[in-house]
Amino acid sequence: MFGTSGIRGEFGTDVTAGLALDAGRAVASAGASRVVLGRDGRPTGKPLSDAVAAGLSECGADVVRLGVVASPTVARAVGWHDADAGVTVTGSHNPPADNGLKFWGESGRAMVGRRQAKLVRRMERDEYEVRPWDEVGTVSTASNAVSRHVDAIADDGAVSDLDVVLDVGNGTGGLTAAALRRTGCRVRTLDADRDGSFPARPSEPTAENCARLAAVVAGSDADLGVAHDGDADRMMAVTESGTFVSGDALLAVFAREAAEAGDEVAVPVDTSIVVSEALEAIGATPSHTKVGDGHVAARAALDGVVFGGEPSGVWIWPGVTPCPDGPLAAVRLAKLVARRGSFDDLIDDVPSASIRRGSVETEDRETVVDRVRGYVAGRYPDTTALDGVRVNVEDGWFLVRASGTQPLVRVTAEARTEDRVDSLFRTAKCLVDRATADIELKI
């Protein structure tokens, strides 16, 4: 039911109003007495958020409804309203037919691990504490969440005279434009009209989906371009030449800027070696986690960890907020570019390596990964099982892991040359194909 980022799936089948009702009941029955609730712009968000609110109230929790806002706005609002939890109804970067629920703890950090498992068990067992008619929770509305988020980001400091193109992608990240303008930037927006069907481009800010942003930046005097996904917890970027910056390179830039000698940076197990090399150059070290912003955020909360990030576009500054905050990342990146003078030059300083990512669709993702783990046991001397199975060889590595949000097995490979990364990727892909075929034969 739960993946690496809460509940997510196709509306009406995987994610229903009944499921949302039970999720609200579970959060309240687990002890939350006040909960903030927001949603992204998908048409299905209204019935799902209504159902969550009903379940929360039915089991005694007071609900503060924020309306259509970014996920990091909800996470920050947990503290603003002295709440015990937060819920965002969002499909994040998934297609518009999908929707889901993200859960935030009292610290504003995503719920993962044991706390998430307890919610799952409560929902599976229908263990809810429905209150008498005179003890149901209240439902109120807060209309200032977005302005408070903008204020918090703008207070992060002045940028200077920069031209920025912001690709909102019809999502909830429009507040980034207001924040950047407050810091001194001139901002041009693309597709800032909120539309949960995402007519302009798919919600996930990949290189392919950000091709228009790259062309606009390259054909103008802009200093950089930034893009968000549907709920604005992610941020990706392009340089002044219109070059889309890989998530690994951007992670290396942010990590190197945040860390000093002796510090640690939380990164998932599928992160490029260029991040490790960038940190090692300044005496800092990576601290590897499972893939998923909740796992990265949990590690970033530990002493000595000054930053956390994922190549997917998740950036966490734990000293500021424990959640992935795409608008904050956009402002931080603008400040960095303003100080260095050129985004292209900033990226040129990052070590290079060849990395390839892909996926295989399967409903048996966990079984496939287990079989691959068995295939490589004894064949490769250096393997790790922190998340799926990662095989390290002298000149590279490959990783096979089950997606936490979709019926996919993720395959990643990295090496110093294109030929070698292609070879490692083919090896990993063949192992996945073999495992899939073995399962089908057994069935």
Side-chain angles (χ1 to χ4, degrees), residues 4-5 8 92-93 102 104 110 205 227 229 231-236 247-248 250-252 254-255 265-268 271 291-297 300 307-317 322-326 329:
T4 55
S5 191
R8 199 177 303 165
S92 191
H93 57 277
K102 289 184 178 180
W104 310 99
D229 63 340
D231 66 332
D233 61 346
R234 295 185 177 191
M235 189 283 298
M236 298 298 285
D248 294 288
L250 196 51
L251 176 49
F254 278 141
V265 171
V267 298
T271 301
V291 175
D293 61 83
H295 298 296
V296 174
F307 179 73
E310 284 196 301
S312 61
V314 165
W315 320 114
I316 301 170
W317 286 268
C323 70
D325 193 326

Side-chain angles (χ1 to χ4, degrees), residues 218-274:
S220 69
D221 293 328
D223 298 287
L224 74 156
V226 294
H228 294 307
D229 63 340
D231 66 332
D233 61 346
R234 295 185 177 191
M235 189 283 298
M236 298 298 285
V238 300
T239 68
E240 67 266 32
S241 65
T243 301
F244 182 84
V245 181
S246 74
D248 294 288
L250 196 51
L251 176 49
V253 167
F254 278 141
R256 187 172 54 190
E257 179 68 13
E260 298 178 350
D263 290 335
E264 292 184 65
V265 171
V267 298
V269 69
D270 65 344
T271 301
S272 170
I273 56 177
V274 304

Side-chain angles (χ1 to χ4, degrees), residues 40-278:
D40 69 19
R42 294 164 198 258
T44 57
K46 180 63 163 59
L48 290 175
S49 60
D50 287 347
V52 173
L56 289 166
S57 177
E58 184 181 38
C59 293
D62 293 332
V63 185
V64 181
R65 301 195 68 159
L66 308 179
V68 180
V69 295
S71 281
T73 305
V74 179
R76 285 175 176 259
V78 173
W80 297 336
H81 293 279
D82 195 25
D84 305 298
V87 181
T88 312
V89 177
T90 178
S92 191
H93 57 277
N94 279 33
D98 290 355
N99 215 323
L101 305 170
K102 289 184 178 180
F103 301 89
W104 310 99
E106 64 277 356
S107 67
R109 195 171 72 233
M111 291 188 190
V112 293
R114 286 180 293 181
R115 189 165 186 184
Q116 179 172 278
K118 287 180 179 178
L119 282 182
V120 174
R121 285 195 298 271
R122 191 176 290 274
M123 293 171 69
E124 290 174 342
R125 299 171 183 174
D126 291 332
E127 294 178 350
Y128 309 124
E129 297 180 9
V130 177
R131 299 296 180 86
W133 68 271
D134 57 348
E135 294 182 11
V136 298
T138 62
V139 180
S140 60
T141 300
S143 60
N144 65 343
V146 173
S147 61
R148 291 188 71 168
H149 196 171
V150 171
D151 288 344
I153 296 170
D155 288 345
D156 200 54
V159 173
S160 76
D161 195 21
L162 283 184
D163 286 293
V164 182
V165 181
L166 167 65
D167 182 355
V168 184
N170 301 118
T172 56
L175 68 110
T176 298
L180 285 169
R181 289 181 180 123
R182 285 267 297 274
T183 62
C185 294
R186 292 179 297 276
V187 183
R188 174 181 176 183
T189 60
L190 301 179
D191 305 311
D193 294 336
R194 207 164 51 217
D195 187 335
S197 65
F198 307 117
R201 63 162 171 85
S203 180
E204 188 172 8
T206 63
E208 180 181 1
N209 296 340
C210 291
R212 179 173 169 232
L213 171 64
V216 169
V217 173
S220 69
D221 293 328
D223 298 287
L224 74 156
V226 294
H228 294 307
D229 63 340
D231 66 332
D233 61 346
R234 295 185 177 191
M235 189 283 298
M236 298 298 285
V238 300
T239 68
E240 67 266 32
S241 65
T243 301
F244 182 84
V245 181
S246 74
D248 294 288
L250 196 51
L251 176 49
V253 167
F254 278 141
R256 187 172 54 190
E257 179 68 13
E260 298 178 350
D263 290 335
E264 292 184 65
V265 171
V267 298
V269 69
D270 65 344
T271 301
S272 170
I273 56 177
V274 304
V275 176
S276 299
E277 292 176 353

Side-chain angles (χ1 to χ4, degrees), residues 400-424:
V400 173
R401 56 172 291 272
S403 169
T405 57
Q406 295 172 281
L408 302 171
V409 170
R410 306 288 190 187
V411 180
T412 309
E414 184 177 32
R416 287 299 179 188
T417 67
E418 290 290 341
D419 288 344
R420 183 54 174 153
V421 78
D422 285 345
S423 174
L424 288 171

